[in-house]
Amino acid sequence: MTILEGVNGPEDLKGLSDAEMIALAGEIRAYLVSAVSKTGGHLGPNLGVVETTLAIHRVFDSPRDSIVFDTGHQSYVHKMLTGRKNLDSLRQKGGVAGYPQRSESVHDIVESSHASSSLSWADGIAKAYRLTNQNDRYVVALIGDGALTGGMAWEALNNISDDNDRKLVIIVNDNGRSYAPTIGGFARTLNNIRTEQTYRKLYRLSRKFFEKFGVLGRMAFSVVRGAGKGLLGSVTPKSMFPNLDLKYIGPIDGHDQKAVEQALEQAKKYAHPVIVHVITQKGKGFDPAVMNEADQFHAVGQINPETGESLEAATSSWTKVFGEEIVKIAEKNDRIVAITGAMLNPVGLSAFAKRFPSRVFDVGIAEQHAVTSAAGMAFGGLHPVVAVYATFMNRALDQVLMDVALHKEGVTFVLDRAGVTGPDGASHHGVWDLAIFQVVPNIRIAVPRDASLLRELLAEAVSIEDAPTLIRFGKGSVDQNIDAVKRLSDGVDVLRESSAKDVLLVAVGSMAKIALSVADLLAAQGIGATVIDPRWVIPVADSVVSLAADHRLVVSIEDGIRVGGIGTRIRQAMRAAQVDTALNEIGLPDEFLEHASRDEILDRVGLNAQTIARDIVAQVLGAKVPYARQIDESAKNQINF
């Protein structure tokens, strides 16, 4: 029987010896590599926090003591220690979530996977415990150094340091990275801690020793370097937060189980807000992760557990198409600059950074700053392209409104992972952007249906200099190009025409493929359908309204929430033009979507060709639409496609 098999809750850790704890850490790492290589997920971050998580659960008493994970992608070890050892169904429908989830366990508190919020949560929980006389309860926040590039974390620290009569422990997991290496002044401060004279001297001596053994020696040096940083860092000045009235402990080797526990015990006894600085190695224990310079396997798909090589078929992704095209555009236009928030590689800007290193700006996890900085760049004569995940763009609505749109600055926003993204769950689905950003005055929003249109729309977007433009696309591979039958004078593409003007299907972006399938199913029932792709969905093109007037039913199909979505905007445009054609808005429900595959979620909410076509036929046969011609009643028996 392994030690891990005997751990069914945090209480089972209390009686283990030091040797058993070291062995348990090894078992956990081995299982993480084995399980995550099959399901995909955040491997590198979790390999890096094994000892730290074990120490948290040895020193504190969850759920009596509240543990808050910033972002939450590093919570796999926590899950394993709190009754969820089996990760074979990780991120799959009905399986263990990739982030903390309250419905899974009382040990999980914050489900949101948006970074830099943990300290505000911890501040609020600690205040609540004090005001309700729950003075024996501690709050522990584990925050990565990347999350400290976000302004919200510093707002929280400012308040915590001002009101510091609470049992609050802040653990800074310093691995030098968020997705990729952490950037900015805070990262330089951490680097300075590691680069004092004593540290540098010991570092050079250790590196010289390992290099005597050639390639294998250099690899070994890289593997142990994370732990070495902590050991060497312990002799450096403790000046990480010099201007905050908070006790500071560290830096601690985050892979020295006993040292981390001792530091947390010291923090616990202090009984006031304390910062514990632990230095860890992202990907520790799995050489392919440690040696991966790009992101040390921050997030992986299915991989070979021995070599780390991907087992997934190579496809052309939306991200790759954007990354290639923005370089081509920038080569022709030296006013183009790129901005992102701690995700240079994930949004496809790595090639841009190599080609134009002085024209790319990674601002860290600071989307609000990114947008307002972009406004300033536009004012100064540049055309900024801000590329982030759609779900993270929600944070910067005010800046898009008041800094970009109000000032009529030409800034292009490129939203990756828009719509239903799949296994990462509720706060990673990019389903709100179409509803949120269409309220911005004068904004233009484009949704490409295929790679060819993405290239075309990107070029059009960066040519607009007096208003914000936004392009959004999904996660994963791009569908095959869908050629238009014709393009109307205002840019709307007609993808399918029918002599019978029964139904107008307005397809938003990648929903074009589904809309064409719906048209085929309707044709089999004797119902004629026209399929159009507006390309630019905001503002609503005049031809969309005129086509709506020529048909008996309009159906809009989008993979954003239907409340306040594109369908709603089309309805408003029709009403303003006094077009009274019935309109069905097909989209996502206004709910937080679960983690599952994209297709599983779309099927559940009815966003597939069969369900949409069946509903249209039922509406036609129910005489809810005033058809001039009669539909054969026998069709009633044929609507189960």
Side-chain angles (χ1 to χ4, degrees), residues 466-508:
D466 59 353
T469 54
L470 185 151
I471 300 176
R472 56 107 70 175
F473 48 77
K475 178 182 179 181
S477 60
V478 187
D479 289 332
Q480 291 184 341
N481 285 348
I482 300 173
D483 294 331
V485 174
K486 63 182 178 182
R487 176 164 294 174
L488 304 180
S489 59
D490 56 3
V492 172
D493 280 348
V494 179
L495 307 183
R496 178 78 57 84
E497 284 187 297
S498 172
S499 57
K501 306 295 184 182
D502 296 328
V503 180
L504 175 67
L505 298 172
V506 183
V508 175

Side-chain angles (χ1 to χ4, degrees), residues 193-497:
I193 290 176
R194 301 191 194 103
T195 54
E196 292 292 332
Q197 185 176 359
T198 304
Y199 174 84
R200 286 187 281 114
K201 182 178 179 180
L202 292 174
Y203 176 89
R204 286 195 299 269
L205 288 173
S206 62
R207 182 167 190 166
K208 186 176 181 180
F209 170 78
F210 278 101
E211 285 185 343
K212 290 180 179 180
F213 300 95
V215 175
L216 292 177
R218 287 192 293 273
M219 181 179 293
F221 174 79
S222 180
V223 171
V224 303
R225 184 179 171 192
K229 286 177 180 176
L231 292 169
L232 299 173
S234 64
V235 300
T236 64
K238 298 171 175 57
S239 57
M240 187 164 139
F241 299 95
N243 297 318
L244 294 176
D245 184 21
L246 296 173
K247 184 174 179 60
Y248 168 78
I249 301 173
I252 308 297
D253 174 8
H255 302 302
D256 183 333
Q257 183 70 48
K258 195 168 184 179
V260 179
E261 288 185 27
Q262 288 174 344
L264 294 183
E265 289 285 5
Q266 184 181 355
K268 187 175 183 179
K269 290 176 182 177
Y270 186 63
H272 294 284
V274 181
I275 292 173
V276 179
H277 178 192
V278 299
I279 296 178
T280 62
Q281 171 67 66
K282 192 172 183 179
K284 182 176 173 60
F286 188 42
D287 289 355
V290 174
M291 301 301 290
N292 183 276
E293 278 300 315
D295 66 359
Q296 293 184 322
F297 285 13
H298 177 84
V300 297
Q302 293 181 331
I303 60 172
N304 183 312
E306 301 295 330
T307 66
E309 294 179 355
S310 175
L311 299 178
E312 298 179 347
T315 58
S316 181
S317 68
W318 289 100
T319 304
K320 183 179 180 181
V321 173
F322 161 70
E324 293 172 347
E325 192 62 23
I326 192 63
V327 170
K328 293 178 182 178
I329 291 173
E331 286 174 341
K332 299 175 183 177
N333 184 349
D334 59 9
R335 296 176 54 250
I336 299 294
V337 294
I339 306 174
T340 189
M343 49 178 62
L344 199 72
N345 291 319
V347 298
L349 287 176
S350 55
F352 189 102
K354 291 178 182 177
R355 180 69 178 83
F356 306 106
S358 65
R359 291 162 59 185
V360 65
F361 305 93
D362 186 342
V363 301
I365 303 174
E367 293 84 1
Q368 293 168 306
H369 166 67
V371 173
T372 301
S373 178
M377 292 182 192
F379 174 77
L382 301 173
H383 190 104
V385 176
V386 180
V388 296
Y389 285 5
T391 182
F392 300 145
M393 192 64 196
N394 301 346
R395 294 176 153 192
L397 173 60
D398 183 69
Q399 287 69 32
V400 175
L401 272 167
M402 297 301 165
D403 295 316
V404 178
L406 177 63
H407 296 89
K408 297 181 173 61
E409 301 293 355
V411 178
T412 295
F413 300 99
V414 176
L415 307 191
D416 201 328
R417 272 69 163 179
V420 176
T421 56
D424 281 330
S427 55
H428 258 53
H429 294 300
V431 300
W432 296 280
D433 56 301
L434 291 175
I436 289 175
F437 289 99
Q438 67 166 287
V439 304
V440 176
N442 301 317
I443 195 170
R444 298 195 63 185
I445 299 178
V447 190
R449 65 179 179 269
D450 55 34
S452 178
L453 204 59
L454 171 55
R455 298 185 184 97
E456 181 179 89
L457 289 169
L458 185 59
E460 293 179 21
V462 299
S463 70
I464 297 171
E465 302 292 355
D466 59 353
T469 54
L470 185 151
I471 300 176
R472 56 107 70 175
F473 48 77
K475 178 182 179 181
S477 60
V478 187
D479 289 332
Q480 291 184 341
N481 285 348
I482 300 173
D483 294 331
V485 174
K486 63 182 178 182
R487 176 164 294 174
L488 304 180
S489 59
D490 56 3
V492 172
D493 280 348
V494 179
L495 307 183
R496 178 78 57 84
E497 284 187 297

Side-chain angles (χ1 to χ4, degrees), residues 516-527 609-611 613-614 617 641:
L516 289 170
S517 296
V518 171
D520 291 338
L521 294 171
L522 294 178
Q525 303 298 322
I527 300 173
Q610 290 77 13
T611 302
R614 184 182 300 117
V617 171
F641 302 112

Side-chain angles (χ1 to χ4, degrees), residues 67-88:
I67 302 172
V68 177
F69 290 87
D70 202 289
T71 308
H73 60 257
Q74 77 283 44
S75 63
Y76 295 2
V77 183
H78 163 78
K79 287 174 179 274
M80 293 175 66
L81 300 177
T82 53
R84 293 162 284 178
K85 286 184 292 188
N86 188 342
L87 300 181
D88 292 347

